[in-house]
Coordinates of all heavy atoms in Angstrom, one line a residue:
M1 N 14.1 5.7 -11.7 CA 13.6 6.6 -10.6 C 14.5 6.5 -9.5 O 14.9 5.4 -9.0 CB 12.2 6.3 -10.4 CG 11.5 7.4 -9.6 SD 9.8 7.1 -9.3 CE 9.2 7.4 -10.9
K2 N 14.8 7.6 -8.8 CA 15.7 7.6 -7.6 C 14.9 7.6 -6.4 O 14.0 8.4 -6.2 CB 16.6 8.8 -7.7 CG 17.5 8.8 -8.9 CD 18.5 9.9 -8.9 CE 19.4 9.8 -10.1 NZ 20.5 10.8 -10.0
Y3 N 15.3 6.7 -5.5 CA 14.6 6.7 -4.2 C 15.6 6.9 -3.1 O 15.3 6.6 -1.8 CB 14.1 5.2 -4.0 CG 13.2 4.7 -5.1 CD1 13.6 3.5 -5.9 CD2 12.0 5.4 -5.4 CE1 12.8 3.2 -6.9 CE2 11.2 4.9 -6.4 CZ 11.6 3.9 -7.2 OH 10.8 3.4 -8.2
E4 N 16.7 7.6 -3.2 CA 17.6 7.9 -2.2 C 17.0 8.9 -1.3 O 16.1 9.6 -1.5 CB 19.0 8.5 -2.8 CG 19.8 7.5 -3.6 CD 19.3 7.5 -5.1 OE1 18.8 8.4 -5.6 OE2 19.5 6.3 -5.6
L5 N 17.7 8.8 -0.2 CA 17.3 9.7 1.1 C 17.1 11.1 0.7 O 16.1 11.8 1.1 CB 18.3 9.6 2.2 CG 17.9 10.1 3.5 CD1 16.7 9.4 4.1 CD2 19.1 9.9 4.6
G6 N 18.0 11.8 -0.1 CA 17.8 13.1 -0.4 C 17.0 13.5 -1.6 O 16.8 14.7 -2.0
S7 N 16.4 12.5 -2.3 CA 15.8 12.8 -3.7 C 14.5 13.5 -3.3 O 13.9 13.3 -2.3 CB 15.6 11.5 -4.4 OG 14.5 10.7 -3.8
E8 N 14.1 14.2 -4.4 CA 12.7 14.9 -4.3 C 11.6 13.9 -4.1 O 10.7 14.1 -3.4 CB 12.5 15.7 -5.5 CG 11.2 16.6 -5.5 CD 11.2 17.5 -6.7 OE1 12.2 18.1 -7.2 OE2 10.0 17.9 -7.0
F9 N 11.6 12.8 -4.9 CA 10.6 11.7 -4.8 C 10.5 11.1 -3.4 O 9.4 11.1 -2.9 CB 10.8 10.6 -5.8 CG 9.9 9.6 -5.7 CD1 8.6 9.6 -6.3 CD2 10.3 8.3 -5.1 CE1 7.7 8.6 -6.1 CE2 9.4 7.3 -5.0 CZ 8.1 7.4 -5.6
F10 N 11.6 10.9 -2.8 CA 11.6 10.4 -1.5 C 11.1 11.2 -0.5 O 10.3 11.0 0.4 CB 13.1 10.0 -1.0 CG 13.2 9.4 0.4 CD1 12.8 8.2 0.7 CD2 13.6 10.2 1.4 CE1 12.9 7.6 1.9 CE2 13.6 9.8 2.6 CZ 13.3 8.5 2.9
Q11 N 11.3 12.6 -0.6 CA 10.8 13.7 0.3 C 9.3 13.7 0.0 O 8.5 13.9 1.0 CB 11.6 15.0 0.1 CG 13.0 15.0 0.5 CD 13.3 14.5 1.9 OE1 12.5 14.8 2.8 NE2 14.3 13.7 2.0
D12 N 8.9 13.6 -1.1 CA 7.4 13.7 -1.4 C 6.7 12.5 -0.7 O 5.6 12.7 -0.1 CB 7.1 13.7 -2.9 CG 7.5 15.0 -3.6 OD1 7.7 16.0 -3.0 OD2 7.6 14.9 -4.8
V13 N 7.3 11.3 -0.8 CA 6.6 10.1 -0.2 C 6.7 10.3 1.3 O 5.7 10.0 2.0 CB 7.3 8.9 -0.7 CG1 6.7 7.6 0.0 CG2 7.2 8.7 -2.2
K14 N 7.7 10.8 1.8 CA 7.9 11.0 3.3 C 6.8 11.9 3.8 O 6.4 11.7 5.0 CB 9.3 11.5 3.6 CG 9.6 11.3 5.0 CD 11.2 11.2 5.3 CE 11.5 11.1 6.6 NZ 11.4 9.8 7.2
R15 N 6.4 13.0 3.0 CA 5.4 13.9 3.5 C 4.0 13.1 3.7 O 3.1 13.7 4.3 CB 5.2 15.0 2.5 CG 6.4 16.0 2.5 CD 6.0 17.2 1.7 NE 7.3 17.9 1.4 CZ 8.1 17.7 0.3 NH1 7.7 17.0 -0.6 NH2 9.1 18.4 0.1
L16 N 3.9 11.9 3.2 CA 2.6 11.2 3.3 C 2.5 10.4 4.6 O 1.4 9.9 4.8 CB 2.5 10.2 2.2 CG 2.5 10.7 0.7 CD1 2.5 9.6 -0.3 CD2 1.3 11.6 0.5
I17 N 3.5 10.5 5.5 CA 3.4 9.9 6.8 C 2.1 10.5 7.5 O 1.9 11.6 7.6 CB 4.6 10.1 7.6 CG1 5.8 9.3 7.0 CG2 4.4 9.7 9.1 CD1 7.0 9.4 7.7
G18 N 1.2 9.5 8.0 CA 0.0 9.8 8.6 C -1.2 9.8 7.6 O -2.3 10.0 8.1
E19 N -1.0 9.8 6.4 CA -2.0 9.9 5.4 C -2.5 8.5 5.0 O -1.7 7.6 5.0 CB -1.6 10.6 4.2 CG -1.2 12.0 4.3 CD -2.3 12.9 4.5 OE1 -3.4 12.7 4.0 OE2 -2.1 14.0 5.1
D20 N -3.7 8.3 4.7 CA -4.3 7.1 4.1 C -4.0 7.1 2.5 O -4.3 8.1 1.9 CB -5.7 6.9 4.4 CG -6.1 6.7 5.8 OD1 -5.2 6.2 6.6 OD2 -7.1 6.9 6.3
V21 N -3.5 5.9 2.1 CA -3.2 5.8 0.7 C -3.7 4.4 0.2 O -3.9 3.5 0.9 CB -1.8 5.9 0.4 CG1 -1.1 7.3 0.8 CG2 -0.9 4.8 1.1
L22 N -4.1 4.3 -1.0 CA -4.4 3.1 -1.7 C -3.2 2.8 -2.6 O -2.7 3.6 -3.3 CB -5.6 3.4 -2.7 CG -6.0 2.1 -3.5 CD1 -6.8 1.2 -2.6 CD2 -7.0 2.6 -4.6
I23 N -2.7 1.6 -2.5 CA -1.5 1.1 -3.3 C -1.9 -0.1 -4.1 O -2.5 -1.0 -3.6 CB -0.4 0.7 -2.4 CG1 0.2 2.0 -1.6 CG2 0.7 -0.1 -3.1 CD1 1.3 1.8 -0.7
V24 N -1.5 -0.1 -5.4 CA -1.7 -1.2 -6.3 C -0.2 -1.5 -6.6 O 0.5 -0.7 -7.1 CB -2.5 -0.8 -7.5 CG1 -2.6 -2.0 -8.4 CG2 -3.9 -0.4 -7.1
T25 N 0.2 -2.9 -6.4 CA 1.5 -3.3 -6.8 C 1.6 -3.7 -8.3 O 0.5 -4.0 -8.9 CB 2.1 -4.3 -5.8 OG1 1.4 -5.4 -6.0 CG2 2.0 -3.8 -4.4
T26 N 2.8 -4.0 -8.7 CA 3.0 -4.4 -10.1 C 2.6 -5.8 -10.3 O 2.4 -6.2 -11.6 CB 4.4 -4.2 -10.6 OG1 5.3 -4.9 -9.7 CG2 4.8 -2.7 -10.5
A27 N 2.6 -6.7 -9.3 CA 2.2 -8.1 -9.5 C 0.8 -8.3 -10.0 O -0.2 -7.4 -9.7 CB 2.3 -8.9 -8.1
D28 N 0.6 -9.3 -10.9 CA -0.8 -9.5 -11.4 C -1.7 -10.1 -10.3 O -2.9 -9.6 -10.2 CB -0.7 -10.6 -12.5 CG 0.0 -10.0 -13.9 OD1 -0.1 -8.7 -14.0 OD2 0.5 -10.7 -14.5
Q29 N -1.2 -10.9 -9.5 CA -1.9 -11.4 -8.4 C -1.0 -11.9 -7.3 O 0.3 -12.3 -7.5 CB -2.9 -12.5 -8.7 CG -2.1 -13.8 -9.4 CD -3.2 -14.7 -9.8 OE1 -4.3 -14.5 -10.0 NE2 -2.7 -15.9 -10.1
L30 N -1.5 -12.0 -6.1 CA -0.7 -12.4 -5.0 C -1.4 -13.6 -4.2 O -2.6 -13.8 -4.4 CB -0.3 -11.3 -3.9 CG 0.4 -10.1 -4.5 CD1 0.3 -9.0 -3.5 CD2 1.8 -10.5 -4.9
N31 N -0.8 -14.3 -3.4 CA -1.4 -15.4 -2.7 C -1.1 -15.3 -1.3 O 0.1 -15.1 -0.8 CB -0.9 -16.7 -3.1 CG -1.7 -17.9 -2.6 OD1 -1.9 -18.0 -1.5 ND2 -2.1 -18.7 -3.6
L32 N -2.1 -15.2 -0.3 CA -1.9 -15.2 1.0 C -2.9 -16.1 1.7 O -4.2 -15.9 1.5 CB -2.2 -13.7 1.5 CG -2.1 -13.4 2.9 CD1 -0.7 -13.5 3.5 CD2 -2.5 -12.0 3.2
F33 N -2.4 -17.0 2.7 CA -3.2 -17.8 3.4 C -4.2 -18.7 2.4 O -5.3 -19.0 2.6 CB -4.2 -17.2 4.4 CG -3.5 -16.2 5.3 CD1 -4.0 -14.9 5.5 CD2 -2.5 -16.7 6.0 CE1 -3.3 -14.2 6.4 CE2 -1.7 -15.9 7.0 CZ -2.2 -14.6 7.1
G34 N -3.7 -19.1 1.3 CA -4.4 -19.9 0.2 C -5.3 -19.0 -0.6 O -6.0 -19.6 -1.5
Q35 N -5.5 -17.8 -0.4 CA -6.3 -16.9 -1.2 C -5.5 -16.1 -2.2 O -4.6 -15.5 -1.9 CB -7.0 -15.8 -0.3 CG -8.0 -16.4 0.8 CD -9.2 -16.8 0.1 OE1 -9.7 -16.2 -0.8 NE2 -9.8 -18.0 0.6
T36 N -5.9 -16.3 -3.5 CA -5.3 -15.5 -4.6 C -6.1 -14.2 -4.7 O -7.3 -14.3 -4.7 CB -5.3 -16.3 -5.8 OG1 -4.7 -17.6 -5.6 CG2 -4.7 -15.6 -6.9
F37 N -5.5 -13.1 -4.7 CA -6.1 -11.8 -4.9 C -5.3 -10.7 -5.7 O -4.1 -11.0 -5.9 CB -6.3 -11.3 -3.4 CG -5.0 -11.0 -2.6 CD1 -4.5 -9.8 -2.5 CD2 -4.4 -12.0 -1.9 CE1 -3.3 -9.6 -1.9 CE2 -3.3 -11.9 -1.2 CZ -2.7 -10.5 -1.2
R38 N -5.9 -9.9 -6.1 CA -5.4 -8.6 -6.8 C -4.6 -7.8 -5.7 O -5.1 -7.7 -4.6 CB -6.4 -7.8 -7.4 CG -7.1 -8.5 -8.5 CD -8.2 -7.7 -9.1 NE -9.1 -8.4 -9.9 CZ -9.2 -8.2 -11.2 NH1 -8.6 -7.2 -11.8 NH2 -10.0 -9.0 -12.0
P39 N -3.4 -7.2 -6.1 CA -2.6 -6.7 -5.2 C -3.0 -5.1 -4.8 O -2.4 -4.1 -5.3 CB -1.2 -6.6 -5.9 CG -1.5 -6.6 -7.4 CD -2.9 -7.4 -7.5
I40 N -4.1 -5.0 -4.2 CA -4.7 -3.8 -3.8 C -4.7 -3.6 -2.3 O -5.3 -4.5 -1.6 CB -6.1 -3.6 -4.4 CG1 -6.1 -3.8 -6.0 CG2 -6.7 -2.2 -4.0 CD1 -7.5 -3.9 -6.5
F41 N -4.1 -2.6 -1.8 CA -3.9 -2.4 -0.4 C -4.3 -1.0 0.0 O -4.1 -0.1 -0.8 CB -2.5 -2.6 0.0 CG -1.8 -4.0 -0.4 CD1 -1.3 -4.1 -1.6 CD2 -2.0 -5.1 0.5 CE1 -0.9 -5.3 -2.1 CE2 -1.5 -6.3 0.1 CZ -0.9 -6.4 -1.2
C42 N -4.9 -0.8 1.2 CA -5.2 0.6 1.5 C -4.9 0.7 3.1 O -5.1 -0.3 3.9 CB -6.7 0.8 1.3 SG -7.1 2.6 1.6
G43 N -4.2 1.8 3.4 CA -3.7 1.9 4.8 C -3.1 3.2 5.0 O -2.9 4.1 4.2
R44 N -2.8 3.4 6.4 CA -2.0 4.6 6.8 C -0.6 4.6 6.6 O 0.0 3.5 7.1 CB -2.5 5.1 8.3 CG -1.7 6.2 8.7 CD -2.5 6.9 9.7 NE -3.8 7.4 9.2 CZ -4.9 7.2 9.9 NH1 -4.9 6.7 11.1 NH2 -6.1 7.7 9.4
V45 N 0.1 5.5 6.0 CA 1.5 5.4 5.9 C 2.1 5.8 7.2 O 1.9 6.8 7.9 CB 2.1 6.6 4.9 CG1 3.5 6.6 4.8 CG2 1.5 6.2 3.5
T46 N 2.9 4.8 7.8 CA 3.6 4.9 9.2 C 5.1 5.2 9.0 O 5.6 5.7 10.0 CB 3.3 3.7 10.0 OG1 3.8 2.6 9.3 CG2 1.8 3.6 10.3
E47 N 5.6 4.7 7.9 CA 7.1 4.9 7.9 C 7.5 4.9 6.4 O 7.0 4.1 5.6 CB 7.8 3.6 8.6 CG 9.3 3.7 8.7 CD 9.8 2.5 9.5 OE1 8.9 1.7 10.0 OE2 11.0 2.4 9.6
V48 N 8.5 5.6 6.1 CA 9.0 5.8 4.8 C 10.7 5.7 5.0 O 11.2 6.5 5.7 CB 8.7 7.1 4.1 CG1 9.3 7.1 2.7 CG2 7.2 7.1 3.9
E49 N 11.2 4.7 4.3 CA 12.6 4.6 4.3 C 13.1 4.5 2.9 O 12.3 4.4 2.0 CB 13.1 3.2 5.0 CG 12.7 3.1 6.5 CD 13.0 1.8 7.1 OE1 13.5 1.0 6.4 OE2 12.5 1.7 8.2
P50 N 14.4 4.7 2.7 CA 14.8 4.7 1.2 C 14.5 3.3 0.7 O 14.9 2.3 1.2 CB 16.3 4.8 1.3 CG 16.5 5.6 2.6 CD 15.5 5.1 3.5
G51 N 13.6 3.3 -0.4 CA 13.3 2.1 -1.1 C 12.0 1.4 -0.7 O 11.6 0.5 -1.3
Q52 N 11.3 1.9 0.4 CA 10.1 1.2 0.9 C 9.3 2.2 1.7 O 9.7 3.1 2.3 CB 10.4 0.0 1.7 CG 11.0 0.3 3.1 CD 11.2 -1.0 3.9 OE1 11.4 -2.1 3.3 NE2 11.2 -1.0 5.1
V53 N 8.0 1.8 1.6 CA 6.9 2.6 2.4 C 6.2 1.5 3.2 O 5.9 0.4 2.7 CB 6.0 3.3 1.6 CG1 5.3 2.5 0.6 CG2 5.1 4.2 2.2
T54 N 5.9 1.8 4.5 CA 5.1 1.0 5.4 C 3.8 1.5 5.7 O 3.8 2.6 6.1 CB 6.0 0.7 6.6 OG1 7.3 0.1 6.4 CG2 5.3 -0.3 7.6
L55 N 2.8 0.6 5.6 CA 1.4 0.9 6.0 C 1.0 0.2 7.3 O 1.3 -1.1 7.4 CB 0.4 0.6 4.9 CG 0.7 1.1 3.5 CD1 -0.4 0.6 2.6 CD2 0.8 2.6 3.6
F56 N 0.3 0.9 8.1 CA -0.4 0.1 9.3 C -1.4 1.1 9.9 O -1.1 2.3 10.1 CB 0.6 -0.3 10.4 CG 0.0 -1.1 11.5 CD1 -0.3 -2.5 11.1 CD2 -0.3 -0.6 12.7 CE1 -1.0 -3.2 12.2 CE2 -0.9 -1.2 13.7 CZ -1.3 -2.7 13.4
P57 N -2.6 0.7 10.2 CA -3.2 -0.6 9.7 C -3.4 -0.6 8.2 O -3.4 0.5 7.6 CB -4.5 -0.5 10.4 CG -4.8 0.9 10.7 CD -3.5 1.6 10.9
V58 N -3.5 -1.8 7.8 CA -3.5 -1.9 6.2 C -4.7 -2.9 5.9 O -4.7 -3.9 6.5 CB -2.2 -2.4 5.7 CG1 -1.7 -3.6 6.1 CG2 -2.3 -2.4 4.1
N59 N -5.6 -2.5 5.0 CA -6.6 -3.4 4.5 C -6.2 -4.0 3.2 O -5.7 -3.4 2.3 CB -7.9 -2.6 4.3 CG -8.6 -2.1 5.4 OD1 -8.3 -2.7 6.6 ND2 -9.3 -1.1 5.4
I60 N -6.4 -5.4 3.1 CA -6.0 -6.0 1.9 C -7.5 -6.2 1.2 O -8.4 -6.8 1.8 CB -5.5 -7.4 2.1 CG1 -4.1 -7.2 2.8 CG2 -5.3 -8.0 0.8 CD1 -3.4 -8.5 3.2
K61 N -7.6 -5.7 0.0 CA -8.9 -5.8 -0.6 C -9.1 -7.2 -1.3 O -8.8 -7.3 -2.5 CB -9.0 -4.6 -1.7 CG -8.9 -3.3 -1.1 CD -10.0 -2.8 -0.2 CE -10.1 -1.5 0.3 NZ -11.0 -1.2 1.1
L62 N -9.5 -8.0 -0.6 CA -9.9 -9.4 -1.0 C -11.3 -9.5 -1.6 O -12.2 -8.8 -1.0 CB -9.7 -10.4 0.1 CG -8.3 -10.5 0.7 CD1 -8.5 -11.4 2.0 CD2 -7.3 -11.0 -0.2
I63 N -11.6 -10.3 -2.6 CA -12.9 -10.3 -3.2 C -13.9 -10.8 -2.1 O -15.1 -10.3 -2.0 CB -13.0 -11.2 -4.5 CG1 -12.2 -10.5 -5.6 CG2 -14.4 -11.6 -4.8 CD1 -12.1 -11.3 -6.9
N64 N -13.6 -11.9 -1.3 CA -14.5 -12.4 -0.4 C -14.5 -11.7 1.0 O -15.2 -12.1 2.0 CB -14.4 -13.9 -0.2 CG -13.0 -14.3 0.2 OD1 -12.0 -13.5 0.2 ND2 -12.8 -15.5 0.6
A65 N -13.5 -10.8 1.1 CA -13.4 -10.1 2.5 C -12.8 -8.7 2.1 O -11.6 -8.5 2.4 CB -12.5 -10.9 3.4
P66 N -13.5 -7.8 1.5 CA -12.9 -6.6 1.0 C -12.3 -5.6 2.1 O -11.6 -4.7 1.7 CB -14.0 -5.8 0.2 CG -15.3 -6.4 0.8 CD -14.9 -7.9 1.2
F67 N -12.6 -5.8 3.3 CA -12.1 -5.0 4.4 C -11.2 -5.8 5.3 O -11.1 -5.4 6.6 CB -13.2 -4.3 5.1 CG -14.1 -3.4 4.1 CD1 -15.3 -3.8 3.7 CD2 -13.6 -2.2 3.8 CE1 -16.0 -3.1 2.9 CE2 -14.2 -1.4 2.9 CZ -15.5 -1.8 2.5
F68 N -10.5 -6.8 4.8 CA -9.6 -7.6 5.7 C -8.4 -6.7 6.1 O -7.7 -6.2 5.3 CB -9.1 -8.8 5.0 CG -8.2 -9.6 5.8 CD1 -8.5 -10.4 6.8 CD2 -6.8 -9.6 5.4 CE1 -7.6 -11.2 7.5 CE2 -5.9 -10.2 6.0 CZ -6.3 -11.1 7.2
E69 N -8.3 -6.6 7.5 CA -7.3 -5.8 8.1 C -6.2 -6.8 8.4 O -6.3 -7.6 9.3 CB -7.7 -5.0 9.3 CG -6.7 -4.0 9.7 CD -7.2 -3.1 10.8 OE1 -8.2 -2.3 10.4 OE2 -6.8 -3.1 11.9
F70 N -4.9 -6.5 7.9 CA -3.8 -7.4 8.1 C -3.3 -7.1 9.6 O -3.3 -5.9 9.9 CB -2.8 -7.2 7.1 CG -1.7 -8.3 7.0 CD1 -2.1 -9.5 6.5 CD2 -0.4 -8.1 7.5 CE1 -1.1 -10.5 6.4 CE2 0.5 -9.2 7.4 CZ 0.1 -10.3 6.9
P71 N -3.0 -8.1 10.3 CA -2.5 -7.9 11.7 C -1.3 -7.2 12.0 O -1.1 -6.7 13.2 CB -2.7 -9.2 12.4 CG -2.3 -10.2 11.2 CD -2.9 -9.4 10.0
T72 N -0.4 -7.1 11.0 CA 0.9 -6.5 11.3 C 1.2 -5.5 10.1 O 0.5 -5.4 9.1 CB 2.1 -7.5 11.2 OG1 2.1 -8.1 9.9 CG2 1.9 -8.6 12.3
P73 N 2.0 -4.5 10.4 CA 2.5 -3.6 9.3 C 3.0 -4.2 8.1 O 3.5 -5.4 8.2 CB 3.5 -2.8 9.9 CG 3.4 -2.8 11.4 CD 2.9 -4.3 11.6
L74 N 2.7 -3.7 7.0 CA 3.2 -4.3 5.7 C 4.1 -3.2 5.0 O 3.7 -2.1 4.9 CB 2.1 -4.6 4.7 CG 1.2 -5.9 5.1 CD1 0.2 -6.1 4.1 CD2 2.2 -7.1 5.0
S75 N 5.2 -3.7 4.5 CA 6.1 -2.7 3.8 C 6.1 -3.1 2.3 O 6.1 -4.2 2.0 CB 7.5 -2.9 4.4 OG 7.6 -2.4 5.7
F76 N 6.2 -2.0 1.5 CA 6.2 -2.2 0.0 C 7.4 -1.6 -0.6 O 7.6 -0.4 -0.3 CB 4.8 -1.6 -0.5 CG 3.6 -2.1 0.0 CD1 3.0 -1.6 1.0 CD2 2.9 -3.2 -0.6 CE1 1.8 -2.1 1.6 CE2 1.8 -3.7 -0.1 CZ 1.2 -3.2 1.1
P77 N 8.1 -2.4 -1.4 CA 9.3 -1.7 -2.1 C 8.8 -0.7 -3.1 O 7.8 -0.9 -3.8 CB 9.9 -2.9 -2.9 CG 9.3 -4.1 -2.3 CD 7.9 -3.8 -1.7
L78 N 9.3 0.5 -3.0 CA 8.8 1.7 -4.0 C 8.8 1.3 -5.4 O 7.9 1.6 -6.2 CB 9.7 2.9 -3.7 CG 9.4 3.5 -2.4 CD1 10.5 4.8 -2.2 CD2 8.1 4.0 -2.1
E79 N 9.8 0.4 -5.9 CA 9.9 0.1 -7.3 C 8.8 -1.0 -7.7 O 8.5 -1.1 -8.9 CB 11.2 -0.4 -7.6 CG 11.6 -1.8 -7.0 CD 12.3 -1.7 -5.6 OE1 12.4 -0.5 -5.2 OE2 12.7 -2.7 -5.1
K80 N 8.0 -1.5 -6.7 CA 7.0 -2.5 -7.0 C 5.6 -1.8 -7.0 O 4.6 -2.5 -7.1 CB 7.1 -3.6 -6.1 CG 8.3 -4.5 -6.1 CD 8.4 -5.2 -7.6 CE 9.6 -6.0 -7.6 NZ 9.7 -6.7 -8.9
I81 N 5.5 -0.5 -6.7 CA 4.3 0.2 -6.6 C 3.9 0.7 -7.9 O 4.6 1.5 -8.5 CB 4.3 1.3 -5.5 CG1 4.6 0.7 -4.1 CG2 3.0 2.1 -5.6 CD1 4.7 1.8 -3.1
A82 N 2.8 0.2 -8.5 CA 2.3 0.6 -9.8 C 1.5 2.0 -9.7 O 1.6 2.8 -10.6 CB 1.5 -0.4 -10.4
N83 N 0.7 2.0 -8.6 CA 0.0 3.3 -8.4 C -0.3 3.5 -7.0 O -0.5 2.6 -6.1 CB -1.5 3.0 -9.0 CG -2.2 4.2 -9.1 OD1 -2.2 5.1 -8.3 ND2 -3.1 4.3 -10.2
M84 N -0.2 4.7 -6.6 CA -0.5 5.1 -5.1 C -1.4 6.4 -5.2 O -1.0 7.4 -5.8 CB 0.9 5.5 -4.4 CG 0.6 5.9 -2.9 SD 2.1 6.5 -2.1 CE 3.2 5.1 -2.4
T85 N -2.5 6.1 -4.6 CA -3.5 7.3 -4.5 C -3.5 7.8 -3.1 O -3.7 7.0 -2.1 CB -4.9 6.8 -4.9 OG1 -4.8 6.2 -6.2 CG2 -5.9 7.9 -4.9
V86 N -3.3 9.2 -2.9 CA -3.2 9.7 -1.6 C -4.6 10.1 -1.2 O -5.5 10.3 -2.0 CB -2.2 10.8 -1.4 CG1 -0.8 10.3 -1.7 CG2 -2.6 11.9 -2.4
N87 N -4.8 10.3 0.2 CA -6.0 10.8 0.8 C -7.2 9.9 0.4 O -8.3 10.3 0.0 CB -6.3 12.3 0.4 CG -5.3 13.2 1.0 OD1 -4.8 13.0 2.1 ND2 -4.9 14.2 0.2
F88 N -7.0 8.6 0.4 CA -8.0 7.7 -0.1 C -8.7 7.2 1.2 O -8.1 6.8 2.2 CB -7.4 6.5 -0.7 CG -8.4 5.6 -1.4 CD1 -8.7 5.9 -2.8 CD2 -8.9 4.5 -0.8 CE1 -9.7 5.1 -3.4 CE2 -9.8 3.7 -1.5 CZ -10.3 4.0 -2.9
D89 N -10.1 7.1 1.1 CA -10.9 6.5 2.3 C -11.0 5.1 2.2 O -11.5 4.5 1.3 CB -12.4 7.1 2.3 CG -13.2 6.7 3.3 OD1 -12.7 5.9 4.2 OD2 -14.4 7.0 3.1
C90 N -10.2 4.4 3.1 CA -10.0 2.9 3.1 C -11.5 2.3 3.4 O -11.5 1.0 3.2 CB -9.0 2.6 4.1 SG -7.3 3.0 3.6
N91 N -12.4 3.0 3.9 CA -13.7 2.3 4.2 C -14.6 2.4 2.9 O -15.7 1.9 3.0 CB -14.4 3.0 5.4 CG -13.6 2.8 6.6 OD1 -13.2 1.6 7.0 ND2 -13.4 3.8 7.4
M92 N -14.2 2.9 2.0 CA -14.9 3.1 0.7 C -15.0 1.8 0.0 O -14.0 1.1 -0.3 CB -14.5 4.2 -0.3 CG -15.2 4.3 -1.5 SD -14.9 5.4 -2.7 CE -13.1 5.8 -2.6
G93 N -16.2 1.2 -0.3 CA -16.3 0.0 -1.1 C -16.2 0.3 -2.5 O -16.7 1.3 -3.1
F94 N -15.5 -0.7 -3.3 CA -15.5 -0.6 -4.8 C -15.4 -2.0 -5.3 O -14.9 -2.8 -4.7 CB -14.4 0.4 -5.3 CG -13.1 0.0 -4.8 CD1 -12.2 -0.9 -5.4 CD2 -12.5 0.7 -3.7 CE1 -11.0 -1.2 -5.0 CE2 -11.3 0.3 -3.2 CZ -10.5 -0.6 -3.9
P95 N -15.9 -2.2 -6.5 CA -15.9 -3.6 -7.1 C -14.5 -4.0 -7.4 O -13.6 -3.3 -7.8 CB -16.7 -3.4 -8.5 CG -16.8 -2.0 -8.7 CD -16.6 -1.3 -7.4
L96 N -14.3 -5.3 -7.1 CA -12.9 -5.8 -7.3 C -12.8 -6.9 -8.4 O -11.9 -7.4 -8.7 CB -12.3 -6.6 -6.0 CG -12.2 -5.7 -4.8 CD1 -12.0 -6.5 -3.6 CD2 -11.1 -4.7 -5.0
T97 N -14.0 -7.1 -9.0 CA -14.0 -8.1 -10.1 C -14.0 -7.5 -11.4 O -14.1 -6.4 -11.6 CB -15.2 -9.0 -10.0 OG1 -16.5 -8.1 -10.1 CG2 -15.2 -9.7 -8.7

């Protein structure tokens, strides 16, 4: 898949700036502050550059804190995104187990 500045895919992702999205990455699990969690993130797209998308504010969907808001913007490499759902309500609760 092409992520270059002029590609149609890049332009489609760039149109998402200001939209809330749900992102699931390709990793089976991640570790942050000693917490192992599924790679599920929800937030507003603030920046799109060739090869990455940045969310802020961004919620990390942890089992014991499903609405944990990360204090800084998070950038995700486009090739590591397994699924991106647009117009997602980040305040919606859903089971993580």
